[in-house]
Amino acid sequence: MTTPTWGEPSGPLTSAEFRVATQAIMANIEQVIEGKSATVRLALAVLIAEGHLLIEDVPGVGKTKLAKALARSIDCSVRRIQFTPDLLPSDVTGVSVYNQETRDFEFKPGAVFANLVVGDEINRASPKTQSALLECMEERQVTVDGTTYELQAPFMVVATQNPIEMEGTYPLPEAQRDRFTARIAMGYPDPRAELAMLSAHGDHDPLNDLRAVADAAMVRRLIETARAVHAADAVQQYAIALVTATREAPEIRLGASPRSTLQLLRTAKAVAALEGRDYVLPDDLQALAVPVLAHRIIPTADAQLNRRTTDAIVSEIVHRLPLPHARNPYDTRDGRASYESRGR
């Protein structure tokens, strides 16, 4: 695959430049991840939305492959952390070590000091170690021994976890889950994709052949471009209505936070940019509601006894909530994108 050559980056990209850059990244990842275009697209959208991604599924379906393929597609600093029960918080954030020559303490950076941090099986570490990521994921900084160290931009954590029912796992605390912009599941491949995987992965690992098709500077320009995507007042109010509905639903004990509203809109802007639009549609928010909101809510005991998943609860909220009536002034498609409520 030909690697695009970028000039000195400065400012947002044009629509054509954005499309070329993002399609190159997605095509690169799909050389390794077969038949999961929607999952790859959402992972890239989270990166462009300046968020963090949680990939939850059973072992062997390609969670770590996706994270590593995304990392290798971008020519920037990448660190991988294998979370284990004996991992310490200082292994993640760094530690101050006494230097006998200078007779002073010097800081040894931990694994989070990178543009893209791949956390493998994050829920196999203790809650104390998991909490070491709280500050860096939200504030893009690390504080050790009273000194604050800024992290590089862009900064993204891509963490994988096994279902909490599996042996040797610790549930992520609510504050940790809320810092992940989206949670996705890989799922099993369909027979055709699995057959293609056998052909591609039979004699060698295509991950070893991946070459970077973008760099950190280009990612910063992608982020800046997505920030400029317009979200009409009606769309913003619809985002608030979706999140508010999770706080009022009788089946939910703890609803989504205001942080989730912000991240829902940011991700919707990234998705709109990936689709070549400079405005957000309510459909973008609907499509993102489950991956962005479901992992943040806690169902009631009755809902858990009835085996009601948070995905199903959020999906029902989306179908029940009426769409905004006001039309996006940036949408010029002959009235076909009217936001009138439509029957379900």
Side-chain angles (χ1 to χ4, degrees):
M1 181 176 182
T2 304
T3 301
T5 302
W6 311 108
E8 185 65 26
S10 60
L13 299 168
T14 66
S15 178
E17 290 173 332
F18 188 94
R19 183 174 62 254
V20 170
T22 53
Q23 286 182 350
I25 296 173
M26 287 189 290
N28 209 45
I29 297 173
E30 288 175 1
Q31 294 182 60
V32 177
I33 305 299
E34 301 284 348
K36 298 292 179 181
S37 298
T39 302
V40 171
R41 191 179 189 83
L42 180 55
L44 181 57
V46 172
L47 171 64
I48 297 172
E50 300 179 89
H52 309 287
L53 184 65
L54 180 63
I55 310 173
E56 178 183 312
D57 216 322
V58 296
V61 293
K63 301 187 300 294
T64 306
K65 285 278 189 184
L66 173 59
K68 293 174 74 173
L70 176 61
R72 292 197 182 189
S73 298
I74 303 167
D75 185 16
C76 60
S77 57
V78 179
R79 299 288 294 275
R80 182 177 183 273
I81 308 173
Q82 180 63 57
F83 282 85
T84 55
D86 59 347
L87 190 72
L88 299 176
S90 58
D91 297 328
V92 177
T93 60
V95 63
S96 295
V97 179
Y98 185 74
N99 189 324
Q100 293 184 347
E101 294 182 359
T102 61
R103 295 186 178 183
D104 197 5
F105 285 91
E106 61 180 39
F107 179 64
K108 299 292 184 182
V112 295
F113 285 83
N115 292 116
L116 204 154
V117 178
V118 179
D120 198 17
E121 297 189 312
I122 187 175
N123 61 337
R124 292 203 180 276
S126 66
K128 182 178 181 180
T129 301
Q130 293 175 8
S131 298
L133 289 171
L134 293 179
E135 181 183 13
C136 64
M137 291 177 68
E138 177 63 20
E139 303 172 48
R140 265 65 174 181
Q141 66 182 31
V142 171
T143 302
V144 178
D145 295 335
T147 303
T148 299
Y149 305 90
E150 297 292 332
L151 297 175
Q152 305 173 50
F155 174 72
M156 180 184 187
V157 174
V158 181
T160 69
Q161 74 167 357
N162 295 316
I164 59 174
E165 295 82 6
M166 302 194 71
E167 186 176 353
T169 60
Y170 301 85
L172 293 181
E174 288 79 4
Q176 182 77 67
R177 293 201 308 269
D178 194 49
R179 280 164 169 77
F180 282 103
T181 300
R183 179 191 65 181
I184 61 176
M186 298 294 295
Y188 291 112
D190 59 48
R192 181 178 300 177
E194 196 161 5
L195 180 61
M197 181 193 71
L198 293 178
S199 302
H201 298 243
D203 53 353
H204 77 289
D205 188 352
L207 188 64
N208 298 328
D209 300 332
L210 284 192
R211 297 293 180 267
V213 294
D215 56 18
M218 176 54 61
V219 173
R220 287 192 288 269
R221 295 188 71 189
L222 294 174
I223 291 171
E224 193 173 350
T225 304
R227 284 177 181 171
V229 172
H230 177 74
D233 290 343
V235 172
Q236 296 183 37
Q237 291 168 5
Y238 183 58
I240 294 173
L242 281 172
V243 176
T244 301
T246 67
R247 303 167 189 164
E248 299 173 348
E251 293 180 295
I252 299 177
R253 178 163 56 91
L254 178 65
S257 67
R259 180 192 287 122
S260 65
T261 313
L262 179 61
Q263 294 185 347
L264 177 62
L265 189 60
R266 283 179 176 173
T267 312
K269 287 185 176 184
V271 168
L274 286 172
E275 294 185 356
R277 287 184 275 109
D278 60 355
Y279 55 89
V280 178
L281 292 173
D283 293 350
D284 300 325
L285 299 175
Q286 288 184 319
L288 292 169
V290 171
V292 173
L293 301 179
H295 65 288
R296 305 170 189 268
I297 65 177
I298 300 178
T300 61
D302 288 342
Q304 291 176 332
L305 287 174
N306 292 328
R307 298 184 180 276
R308 295 279 291 155
T309 65
T310 56
D311 287 18
I313 295 173
V314 172
S315 182
E316 286 185 6
I317 289 174
V318 170
H319 284 78
R320 184 173 67 245
L321 200 66
L323 288 172
H325 292 273
R327 182 181 172 192
N328 190 330
Y330 279 64
D331 195 343
T332 58
R333 296 178 296 171
D334 301 326
R336 289 179 292 172
S338 174
Y339 293 172
E340 296 297 326
S341 300
R342 53 180 181 264
R344 300 293 181 183

